[in-house]
Amino acid sequence: MTRTAVGTIVAKNFVSFARVLADSFRRHHPAVPLFVVLADEVDGCFAPSAEPFHLLHLRDLAIPDLASSRFHSTREQVAIASKPYLLSHLVERGFERVVFLDPDILVLSDLTSLFDEAGRHSVTLTPHLLKPPSAAEGVNRELNILQSGIYNAGFIGVSNTQRARDFLVWWRDRLRDHCRRDVAQGMFYDQRWLDLAPVFFEDVHVLRDPAVNVAYWNLPERDVRLDGDRVLVDGEPCRFFHFSGFDPDQPLAVTKYASRLTMADAGPAAELYAQYLRLLDAAGYQETKAWPYAYGHFDNGVPVPDLARQIHRELGDASTGFGDPLRTAAPGSYFNWLNEPIDAPRDASMTITRLWRAIYEQRPDLRRAFPDLTGAGRAAFLRWTAEFGVREHDIPEHFLGWYARAAILSASTNRSASPGGDDIAARVG
Amino acid sequence: MAVATTVAKSYLSFARVLAASFLRYHPDIPFFVLLADEVDDCFVPAAEPFRLLRLADLKIPGLADLRFRYSQQELTYSATGYLLSHLLDRGFSGAAFLKQESLVLGDMTDVFSTMDHHSIVLVPHLLAPLPGKEGIARELNILQSGVYNVGFLGVSGKPCARAFLTWWQDRLRDHCRHDVPQGMHFEQRWLDLVPAYFDDVHILRDPGFNVGHWNLPERDVRLDGDRVLAGEEPCRFFRFSGFDPDQPLAVTKYSSRLTMANAGPAAELFARYRTLLEDAGYSETKGWPYAYGHFDNGVPIPGAARRFHRELGDRSAQFGDPFQTGKPGSYFNWLNEPIDDRSDPFGTITRFWRAVYDQRPDVRQTYPDLCGADREAFITWTEQFGIREHGVAERFLVHPSRPAPRLRSVQLRTCESTLGVNLAGRFASEKGIGEAARSLERGLAAAGIAYVLNNYEDPLSSNEERTLTGFSNASPYPVNLLCADPVAMPAFTALHAATYLAGHHNVAHWAWEFSDFPRAWAPYFEHLDEVWVASTFVQQAVAKVSPIPVRTVPYCIRDDLHARACGPDVTLPADRMIFLFAFDFASHFARKNPLGLVRAFKRAFGRHDDVLLVLKCARSHLAPADLARLREAAEGARVEFIDRVLPRQQVLSLMRRADCYVSLHRTEGFGLTLAEAMDLGKPVVATGYSGNLDFMTASNSFLVDYRLVPVQQNWGPYTEGHVWADPDLDHAAALMRLVYEDRARAQEVGRRARQDILARLHPRVVGEHVGRLLSAATGGGVRAAV
């Protein structure tokens, strides 16, 4: 019997999705192990042994410089970039066929034929679209796909061959520093790199089965019907459905990635979304969604802004002097370094910190609006940090200087008392 | 089987070379060339080594719009699907597209056989991952432009191929352009979808096929006599994508990574290709005009207008043929209509510029309130940058309510002599205005242009300059050239309009120093046909307001500067390094900024004994308070004041003695003393702003950093709201120290300065320039004597 394994990756807040996926998978393949990589820490939120899946930690996956890459990446990027390591890990453990599935997938029927096909090739991919969309807005959908990748990274099949290993090594190397969204540069996380796979590596199979990886992007071309317990696609049993971008707290929206789509557009599949919502609820979505991300805060409780991760990454070797970037207490800590002033103004309350200067240097519009950070320009820039900077860059208010916070305070006390003003008053002084 | 390529006329030589190379190996396979253009009698199709196809032969729906909406490059690429469909329609069992800049180097039979077995044949850019950081960057380039290269594309007559062509040609009608953030790279990125959509696709993995700059490092191209190899395989199809025969040292204009120097043996192949192109008539064909490049009134079609037409979609149908301009409802006229009812001459925004604004997120960010506070600034942007950045003819700057350029027919009075110039100015004045007039005289004389001198005394000058004499009261020549301040115009025209200006072609050479010209002075252009100014800095300022042409005519140096005998010298110590600055209090103390200079000098040298700053000034009696401030600032440093009017000879003497000339001006219309110092081979330290940048560069002088600050007060005609430079005194101090410490470098800079000044500002150079301008203006009426 060919040894097969399936894997997915979640942070703690997506554990309910992993449960639903695992349960749906076990219904059809009770003997095939399903592994869940936790791109996070358990931190006592749940009991791994009680879950319907095998738990793996990031540290089990032989990811080099894990502490560093965890800090440099957003939560999403940490999960995505560990994908090739998960597949390698399972192949090294002796599984001959390994399939990665995104956590927001529901298995709906037997996947044996899918496993067989994946086992016949080194790498198996599924395209987002199998044929040109016919409707007028079809061009925009195609352009979307051209921007984000021909093949969907929510399904990857690999078998135990040298070519598969070569692919995984190349892919994880690309994801180390080039796993982000920057369409103009040709990047869309891990997914756009897959466009090159069928050309770079022989024996990459493009699986063209409409019953596989049905999702919002190809719904218009696939005839989805519910027939009692079964879900059919173009008359054939649907293998799995991919609820990409579905937010259980916004159940009327099909996906957060295409706001124009509503459940009315989903046709019979809308019922499937409703079922999925109930499954997630039963799997503890309301509880799990609030579980905190272990690598999301400094040890003083301040959330780590994405910008801080980016600055640390760009420092390269120079960042090693800070030690663990999440530790704040030491004088030479990264947190303190970010909050150090860039100069010594006469009025010490008007400090501009390294963090805000980094933003200034990234934003040509700010440099035009505040060309001179001395004198009046400085005060105006500091006011900007409080009024707009924190929101635009998602910076916790802890990074605001005294002057900026006082500016908000005086602005809000000049208006009638507002809750926001009171909060700031509580923090300042 | 048939094979085809597409070219516009100017690329016909490429088509000839490709066709000949293909037919050498496959004489029996028909080779077609689709002309994305019109023949327009530039060549004889029947005499070419290929069969010509025209766009009209391909039954492309909406072709008329397509020819307008796409640029030449976009149109060429967009027709590929229709071209292949057409060949299949004609009954060929298979069709292959080869891109124009290619060479067939070997037999392609096996590739054509593949096309018998598969519906679609694609060739990838890269066959394997690339190593290292640079490898990732190159892979990202491929992701941006497409996994497969459209330099070769093969289709069979099977339904799968037909379905592909139907889909592709439809996509290319509106989405064949370069917009990477939108997922487009002309026609090529669409091919990424092909292996997903169609299951009978063959990916050709032959390293000797489709070798180009993107994979050249990996393909190990070698030449062995007549054979070309890629590794061990024969190289059968080579792509010269982006190769420009007029830039033969560059492998491709699309990337600077590769040069011929590091291209290895392949460089020889490029050289051979270039020869083939030359032999195929490249030099002639490259100049053939693109048939769809202009409106029918001759105005080139800007890309922004094409794009706007495309974005209008069906609404563009109301204009009819977009190339036609004559009728009232034409697209051209519609583009040039104002967007609202702002009726003041300089506030009109046309639909065209509105479209450009909508296409430019960076411009929108800079001028967010287009119709309100940012209106004038945006209009200025269109004139200074917009026309250049978008390749727009000046015709699009003629706003309907702006005064139309005046083309006066000059009824010349009977001339007593042959053609020449009546040069009017204050020739005796020692001030800058006198220098300007004398400079123009030198230029005319050096170029051998006939002239008379009409002199006007300046009551505010000492008028002791007697270098020029022989003034005349007559103005016999057809061209008047007035050397003046703009503010002098009303008085001059009041006195002389009827007697002097009427019936002449009138040119005024105005002195101005700021980056903006007062709009209130618009009446000063009356009676003039042209305005000349001394620098491009001033030209840009005046052109914003002027209804007549504004040209740059610099001052010129004296060509006898060095031969002039030294008169009684001003005594200066011989053992000190002398820094010199000369200025006139009446030409504004604030603008010349001697205060800044003194401060910078102090910072540089403190109480050094072996340096001296010499300030040659004049007319301090006009500004005693300023002089007092200056003297006070100079206390404690080695500064010497020469506060009197000196004859020009002695000023030159001073300059010859100086080791370095410094000017920390806030703005200059030209900076003649700077140029003269450079002509004397002196290193010059000066603010890197305004008119002096026409002749000062980082190699021939020491330019001081600055920032722009508002002009705080009314300085005579210089109203508040203007800006000028605030030079960085620390930087100036550092540069003066550099000159002091590194004499060799300072001397080298001075040598370079003299070379550059001679090349640009020698009287003969400027005089010839004047001659050309006058010839153009009067239709050849002014001729320089040979």
Side-chain angles (χ1 to χ4, degrees):
Chain A
M1 174 64 185
T2 323
R3 296 192 60 213
T4 308
V6 170
T8 192
I9 305 168
V10 292
K12 270 210 300 297
N13 65 337
F14 255 59
V15 165
S16 59
F17 287 80
R19 286 168 179 165
V20 170
L21 169 61
D23 282 336
S24 69
F25 180 73
R26 274 168 33 141
R27 270 185 64 199
H28 300 280
H29 297 276
V32 177
L34 187 142
F35 294 87
V36 173
V37 171
L38 187 65
D40 207 328
E41 300 292 339
V42 176
D43 284 338
C45 289
F46 62 99
S49 53
E51 298 291 341
F53 48 73
H54 301 273
L55 190 71
L56 289 172
H57 296 272
L58 287 176
R59 56 183 173 274
D60 300 328
L61 301 185
I63 301 172
D65 301 322
L66 179 58
S68 232
S69 55
R70 246 175 13 209
F71 189 79
H72 291 162
S73 310
T74 63
R75 171 164 54 184
E76 215 178 5
Q77 285 169 330
V78 170
I80 292 172
S82 60
K83 204 179 294 182
Y85 289 99
L86 166 59
L87 291 166
S88 291
H89 170 83
L90 293 175
V91 166
E92 294 313 312
R93 273 169 79 145
F95 292 102
E96 281 153 33
R97 307 186 299 200
V98 180
V99 165
F100 172 85
L101 295 174
D102 258 356
D104 45 10
I105 282 176
L106 192 64
V107 177
L108 293 168
S109 65
D110 188 277
L111 302 183
T112 303
S113 60
L114 186 58
F115 292 142
D116 287 345
E117 195 150 357
R120 282 195 285 276
H121 303 278
S122 294
V123 179
T124 304
L125 302 173
T126 53
H128 283 104
L129 293 176
L130 292 176
K131 56 185 178 180
S134 48
E137 100 293 359
V139 173
N140 291 329
R141 289 171 55 206
E142 283 179 339
L143 287 172
N144 238 279
I145 302 252
L146 285 169
Q147 295 160 27
S148 56
I150 306 294
Y151 310 100
N152 180 250
F155 171 93
I156 311 281
V158 294
S159 61
N160 185 1
T161 69
Q162 184 58 44
R163 288 194 179 117
R165 274 192 275 279
D166 291 343
F167 160 72
L168 290 171
V169 166
W170 165 81
W171 197 25
R172 78 188 190 214
D173 190 55
R174 293 299 172 266
L175 300 189
R176 191 178 2 262
D177 290 311
H178 297 83
C179 176
R180 59 184 187 272
R181 185 194 171 127
D182 189 344
V183 178
Q185 289 297 309
M187 278 182 274
F188 192 86
Y189 303 105
D190 58 334
Q191 191 163 262
R192 274 227 63 203
W193 289 105
L194 297 175
D195 290 1
L196 290 167
V199 161
F200 280 176
F201 306 98
E202 300 201 29
D203 200 23
V204 172
H205 178 58
V206 176
L207 179 57
R208 305 183 67 249
D209 182 347
V212 171
N213 214 0
V214 188
Y216 74 83
W217 49 74
N218 55 34
L219 263 182
E221 281 75 45
R222 305 197 186 177
D223 178 29
V224 174
R225 279 171 215 272
L226 274 61
D227 175 23
D229 246 357
R230 305 191 307 156
V231 179
L232 299 172
V233 179
D234 295 345
E236 297 294 319
C238 179
R239 301 289 163 214
F240 64 82
F241 196 99
H242 191 167
F243 298 88
S244 178
F246 177 67
D247 179 357
D249 293 327
Q250 306 288 339
L252 296 178
V254 171
T255 173
K256 65 190 179 198
Y257 300 133
S259 52
R260 57 187 163 74
L261 285 178
T262 66
M263 282 304 164
D265 301 310
E271 173 55 33
L272 198 55
Y273 276 82
Q275 287 180 12
Y276 189 60
L277 181 62
R278 287 192 289 274
L279 289 170
L280 284 173
D281 219 44
Y285 170 76
Q286 291 300 331
E287 182 204 7
T288 61
K289 77 180 187 184
W291 288 346
Y293 180 52
Y295 319 123
H297 294 72
F298 292 100
D299 66 4
N300 60 6
V302 175
V304 181
D306 284 347
L307 180 72
R309 301 186 187 280
Q310 181 196 336
I311 294 172
H312 193 276
R313 172 201 283 262
E314 283 165 6
L315 286 171
D317 289 335
S319 66
T320 51
F322 299 120
D324 182 345
L326 293 176
R327 288 206 203 285
T328 60
S333 74
Y334 181 56
F335 181 84
N336 290 335
W337 182 87
L338 281 174
N339 284 298
E340 272 169 23
I342 60 171
D343 55 13
R346 254 186 316 239
D347 182 352
S349 71
M350 302 257 283
T351 53
I352 295 177
T353 62
R354 284 202 180 84
L355 178 97
W356 290 108
R357 182 177 61 184
I359 291 177
Y360 181 81
E361 281 168 2
Q362 279 180 14
R363 297 261 314 247
D365 59 321
L366 289 182
R367 294 199 297 279
R368 254 199 306 276
F370 311 107
D372 178 10
L373 288 185
T374 61
R378 192 180 193 98
F381 175 67
L382 286 171
R383 277 197 298 278
W384 175 86
T385 65
E387 284 173 12
F388 300 102
V390 287
R391 264 176 288 153
E392 289 181 25
H393 291 273
D394 216 11
I395 308 283
E397 283 190 5
H398 298 81
F399 288 92
L400 284 177
W402 192 96
Y403 179 85
R405 286 192 249 175
I408 311 179
L409 175 63
S410 70
S412 63
T413 53
N414 284 343
R415 302 190 282 274
S416 54
S418 63
D422 288 340
D423 284 347
I424 291 169
R427 274 192 280 270
V428 171
Chain B
M1 217 14 262
V3 167
T5 192
T6 310
V7 290
K9 270 209 299 301
S10 56
Y11 277 79
L12 201 73
S13 57
F14 289 77
R16 288 167 176 165
V17 169
L18 176 58
S21 71
F22 177 77
L23 293 167
R24 202 178 134 196
Y25 295 95
H26 297 278
D28 298 327
I29 296 182
F31 191 96
F32 291 85
V33 172
L34 171 64
L35 186 66
D37 206 329
E38 300 292 338
V39 176
D40 283 338
D41 290 328
C42 287
F43 63 99
V44 179
E48 298 290 339
F50 48 73
R51 303 192 205 184
L52 191 72
L53 284 172
R54 293 171 174 76
L55 287 171
D57 298 331
L58 303 187
K59 297 199 280 290
I60 301 172
L63 177 60
D65 274 348
L66 224 57
R67 285 193 314 227
F68 186 86
R69 289 175 174 183
Y70 275 151
S71 67
Q72 173 180 320
Q73 190 181 21
E74 290 164 348
L75 186 68
T76 302
Y77 299 161
S78 71
T80 313
Y82 287 107
L83 171 59
L84 291 168
S85 290
H86 170 82
L87 293 174
L88 294 176
D89 285 343
R90 279 168 79 142
F92 293 105
S93 60
F97 177 80
L98 308 180
K99 217 160 202 191
Q100 50 183 276
E101 329 108 305
S102 321
L103 209 51
V104 175
L105 297 167
D107 187 280
M108 293 164 88
T109 306
D110 62 318
V111 175
F112 297 146
S113 307
T114 311
M115 282 161 56
D116 286 338
H117 303 300
H118 297 278
S119 296
I120 304 163
V121 176
L122 298 177
V123 184
H125 281 104
L126 299 172
L127 293 174
L130 300 175
K133 265 198 159 139
E134 175 165 310
I136 294 182
R138 288 171 62 197
E139 287 179 11
L140 284 171
N141 272 162
I142 300 297
L143 286 170
Q144 293 158 26
S145 54
V147 174
Y148 308 99
N149 179 251
V150 76
F152 179 91
L153 183 61
V155 290
S156 71
K158 301 209 194 91
C160 184
R162 290 297 208 152
F164 155 62
L165 290 173
T166 303
W167 162 80
W168 194 36
Q169 69 200 21
D170 183 65
R171 289 296 177 262
L172 298 187
R173 284 164 41 72
D174 285 310
H175 296 85
C176 175
R177 49 188 200 273
H178 177 79
D179 189 345
V180 177
Q182 286 297 307
M184 277 182 278
H185 181 69
F186 300 108
E187 82 284 46
Q188 188 166 263
R189 273 228 60 204
W190 291 102
L191 298 178
D192 289 0
L193 287 163
V194 171
Y197 284 169
F198 308 101
D199 56 12
D200 190 20
V201 180
H202 178 74
I203 297 176
L204 192 58
R205 298 173 148 278
D206 178 344
F209 200 87
N210 216 16
V211 182
H213 65 81
W214 52 84
N215 58 28
L216 197 53
E218 282 72 49
R219 299 293 166 100
D220 187 24
V221 172
R222 290 172 295 125
L223 274 62
D224 178 18
D226 247 357
R227 297 195 315 149
V228 181
L229 297 166
E232 299 307 313
E233 304 293 318
C235 176
R236 293 180 292 150
F237 187 54
F238 195 98
R239 304 264 296 103
F240 299 88
S241 176
F243 176 66
D244 179 357
D246 294 329
Q247 305 288 339
L249 295 178
V251 170
T252 174
K253 64 189 176 205
Y254 298 135
S255 162
S256 52
R257 206 174 274 130
L258 278 178
T259 64
M260 288 304 171
N262 59 26
E268 169 61 25
L269 192 57
F270 279 82
R272 287 189 197 172
Y273 183 62
R274 184 162 176 270
T275 307
L276 288 171
L277 287 172
E278 288 287 350
D279 292 343
Y282 170 73
S283 301
E284 183 204 8
T285 60
K286 77 179 182 184
W288 289 345
Y290 180 51
Y292 316 127
H294 296 74
F295 290 99
D296 67 2
N297 61 4
V299 175
I301 304 169
R306 296 187 190 274
R307 178 174 162 177
F308 192 31
H309 192 273
R310 190 173 62 229
E311 287 166 2
L312 287 170
D314 291 335
R315 286 181 297 154
S316 65
Q318 61 178 300
F319 306 115
D321 180 352
F323 291 91
Q324 281 190 7
T325 60
K327 48 195 202 306
S330 73
Y331 182 56
F332 182 83
N333 290 338
W334 184 84
L335 281 177
N336 283 296
E337 282 168 14
I339 60 173
D340 55 19
D341 52 14
R342 255 297 275 273
S343 61
D344 66 305
F346 308 114
T348 308
I349 297 176
T350 61
R351 286 199 182 88
F352 172 76
W353 288 110
R354 174 70 197 241
V356 170
Y357 180 84
D358 289 337
Q359 291 170 15
R360 291 280 304 261
D362 58 325
V363 174
R364 290 200 301 279
Q365 200 174 45
T366 310
Y367 309 108
D369 188 8
L370 177 69
C371 293
D374 300 314
R375 191 179 192 109
E376 279 197 22
F378 171 70
I379 292 173
T380 304
W381 174 86
T382 67
E383 294 162 1
Q384 285 192 325
F385 300 105
I387 50 170
R388 266 178 282 160
E389 290 178 25
H390 290 271
V392 180
E394 277 192 16
R395 189 61 202 276
F396 283 91
L397 284 181
V398 179
H399 309 301
S401 32
R402 183 191 272 274
R406 278 190 284 111
L407 300 162
R408 299 188 331 164
S409 58
V410 178
Q411 274 139 1
L412 300 181
R413 302 190 313 187
T414 319
C415 294
E416 291 152 72
S417 336
T418 49
L419 307 157
V421 175
N422 312 315
L423 182 62
R426 305 186 189 285
F427 297 102
S429 166
E430 71 286 345
K431 294 204 291 190
I433 195 66
E435 274 309 312
R438 290 191 289 277
S439 164
L440 283 172
E441 185 276 330
R442 280 198 293 279
L444 293 173
I449 298 170
Y451 64 90
V452 292
L453 297 178
N454 303 136
N455 187 43
Y456 297 88
E457 289 288 313
D458 176 10
L460 298 175
S461 296
S462 307
N463 292 317
E464 284 163 14
E465 281 300 319
R466 296 298 169 193
T467 48
L468 288 174
T469 54
F471 303 130
S472 167
N473 286 329
S475 53
Y477 297 116
V479 177
N480 289 331
L481 178 52
L482 282 60
C483 195
D485 285 322
V487 286
M489 291 309 298
F492 188 89
T493 53
L495 282 175
H496 304 293
T499 54
Y500 190 76
L501 298 174
H504 286 79
H505 181 84
N506 296 311
V507 182
H509 195 296
W510 280 351
W512 183 245
E513 291 93 22
F514 284 78
S515 58
D516 282 286
F517 194 79
R519 289 198 189 279
W521 290 2
Y524 297 174
F525 296 95
E526 190 64 22
H527 299 289
L528 296 177
D529 296 287
E530 285 181 60
V531 171
W532 291 358
V533 294
S535 64
T536 51
F537 172 78
V538 178
Q539 191 275 339
Q540 282 164 5
V542 179
K544 287 182 223 175
V545 175
S546 171
I548 53 178
V550 182
R551 315 242 183 256
T552 302
V553 175
Y555 301 140
C556 55
I557 49 162
R558 298 160 184 262
D559 52 3
D560 59 347
L561 215 54
H562 304 265
R564 189 166 281 274
C566 297
D569 226 333
V570 176
T571 318
L572 287 177
D575 60 337
R576 304 231 188 130
M577 181 165 199
I578 308 278
F579 290 83
L580 173 68
F581 178 52
F583 71 99
D584 187 329
F585 275 90
S587 190
H588 295 287
F589 180 77
R591 180 171 74 85
K592 293 290 188 173
N593 196 20
L595 203 54
L597 172 56
V598 166
R599 290 189 181 132
F601 181 79
K602 269 174 112 164
R603 285 185 209 184
F605 298 112
R607 291 191 62 88
H608 268 239
D609 276 346
D610 57 343
V611 290
L612 181 68
L613 173 65
V614 173
L615 292 177
K616 159 70 188 73
C617 44
R619 273 176 278 279
S620 62
H621 61 275
L622 295 176
D626 287 337
L627 177 63
R629 277 166 70 202
L630 197 56
R631 285 198 181 274
E632 192 192 314
E635 293 225 339
R638 303 282 181 221
V639 181
E640 179 157 339
F641 287 82
I642 302 176
D643 183 12
R644 59 188 187 276
V645 173
L646 284 181
R648 192 72 192 159
Q649 244 177 303
Q650 294 197 14
V651 175
L652 284 176
S653 233
L654 263 180
M655 285 175 68
R656 264 194 292 269
R657 169 63 191 88
D659 297 290
C660 174
Y661 193 85
V662 194
S663 168
L664 297 188
H665 57 270
R666 296 189 180 282
T667 185
E668 280 288 359
F670 183 78
L672 187 54
T673 43
L674 299 171
E676 287 181 336
M678 289 167 75
D679 182 47
L680 288 168
K682 305 296 173 186
V684 177
V685 175
T687 314
Y689 172 75
S690 72
N692 53 308
L693 291 192
D694 272 5
F695 54 89
M696 288 182 111
T697 69
S699 335
N700 66 16
S701 30
F702 297 92
L703 295 174
V704 179
D705 289 346
Y706 68 93
R707 59 196 181 110
L708 287 178
V709 296
V711 179
Q712 294 290 1
Q713 298 155 257
N714 284 338
W715 295 105
Y718 316 134
T719 52
E720 232 177 324
H722 285 190
V723 297
W724 59 12
D726 182 27
D728 182 338
L729 299 185
D730 288 323
H731 189 218
L735 291 174
M736 284 193 275
R737 279 216 69 100
L738 178 62
V739 169
Y740 166 76
E741 276 157 11
D742 191 352
R743 306 289 168 108
R745 167 139 169 227
Q747 271 168 15
E748 180 51 41
V749 167
R751 267 194 291 276
R752 179 67 187 269
R754 175 159 161 72
Q755 267 182 317
D756 288 355
I757 291 294
L758 281 177
R760 295 183 77 96
L761 301 180
H762 190 279
R764 199 170 333 108
V765 174
V766 176
E768 277 166 8
H769 175 57
V770 168
R772 279 191 296 272
L773 289 179
L774 293 175
S775 285
T778 60
V782 173
R783 248 189 331 273
V786 173

